Amino acid sequence: MDTAQAMNSAATLENSYLRGELRKRRERLTQAIALAPSDATLIDLTVLVDEALARMDAGTYGICEQCHESVERERLLIDPLVRVCLDHLSAPERRALESDLELASKVQRGLLPPKDLRVGGWSAHYHYSPLGAVSGDYVDLIVPENETGSIVFAVGDVSGKGVAASMLMTHLSAMLRSLVSVGMPTDQLLRRMNCLVADSAIAGQFVTLVVGRAHATGEIEIAGAGHLPALCVQKDAAELIHSTAVPIGMFHEMNPSLRRLKLQNGETLVLYTDGISEQTNPDGLEFGTNRLVE
């Protein structure tokens, strides 16, 4: 499946999801109105849901009523009743959104691991620089309580941008930490996270992810799901370690293979997102993986 087909498939899933969500809300509102038939708020909400369903049938759903451009998809996924794009929010709506984004940014940054971590002979460092207030990029470093000198590491990228992506990133962090805390082996981490994301993520969302474990002996276990290849920089060579599974959340079934390697003193494992490889110069030329290897 090429990029255009994948995007169309994701859009179709999102539309199906949104229609289903609106119908569920319609049913719940109908049940609530039966118990409180004079509640004006419930009646007004029912009208808004019916109008959104009518726009879907007419093919105008997701189009800003002010400028007739597309409404941001992540906002529709969070609130299917949105009718205008960010540029045409009222002043109070804009202030409320800015306040929510600021709080979400604080929560997300509070989940980041220590910047410099030294455990069992390993030295781990990362750079995290989101384009906006919140991000779908994911990085984690976990020191398991029941393992001496080991570090569990993860780098990922949630499809989409904005609040919807950051919410799934937060969910990933909680998932991985819970699974590591119960002693789950490395080869099962991706498989279990895939099942949880497939069951809980909104339609069209998926995650490219690399997860691994670095032992005090210098041995590394690593597995990737649709993510950019990891880079093992040894004394006389640089080797790309490619993902062996599709991104998590796309299908319930996945069978990632675990790669084992050993690093010596002074050798490095590099993980990254497309914020590096897809960076462009003034001529529009991407930096690319080959330049990163060099």
Side-chain angles (χ1 to χ4, degrees), residues 189-211:
L189 286 173
L190 270 181
R191 189 179 294 111
R192 185 58 183 151
M193 291 178 76
N194 175 68
C195 291
L196 293 169
V197 171
D199 287 337
S200 61
I202 57 181
Q205 272 195 315
F206 58 86
V207 185
T208 67
L209 187 65
V210 176
V211 172

Side-chain angles (χ1 to χ4, degrees), residues 271-283:
L271 307 176
Y272 55 97
T273 66
D274 58 15
I276 294 288
S277 59
E278 294 183 4
Q279 188 68 249
T280 58
N281 66 11
D283 296 325

Side-chain angles (χ1 to χ4, degrees), residues 163-237:
V163 176
S166 73
M167 288 172 66
L168 184 50
M169 177 272 194
T170 303
H171 190 37
L172 281 175
S173 176
M175 261 191 271
L176 181 60
R177 289 178 173 273
S178 296
L179 295 173
V180 170
S181 71
V182 298
M184 182 164 287
T186 310
D187 60 350
Q188 295 181 30
L189 286 173
L190 270 181
R191 189 179 294 111
R192 185 58 183 151
M193 291 178 76
N194 175 68
C195 291
L196 293 169
V197 171
D199 287 337
S200 61
I202 57 181
Q205 272 195 315
F206 58 86
V207 185
T208 67
L209 187 65
V210 176
V211 172
R213 197 180 237 102
H215 298 279
T217 59
E219 293 176 316
I220 287 179
E221 302 167 339
I222 185 171
H227 198 74
L228 296 163
L231 179 58
C232 181
V233 184
Q234 297 177 300
K235 291 178 181 177
D236 54 0

Side-chain angles (χ1 to χ4, degrees), residues 20 61 76 91 96-97 101 114 138 169 203 239 244 258 260 282:
Y61 182 80
L76 286 170
L97 179 60
L101 285 174
Y138 171 51
M169 177 272 194
E239 178 188 3
T244 58
L258 192 65
R260 290 181 171 86

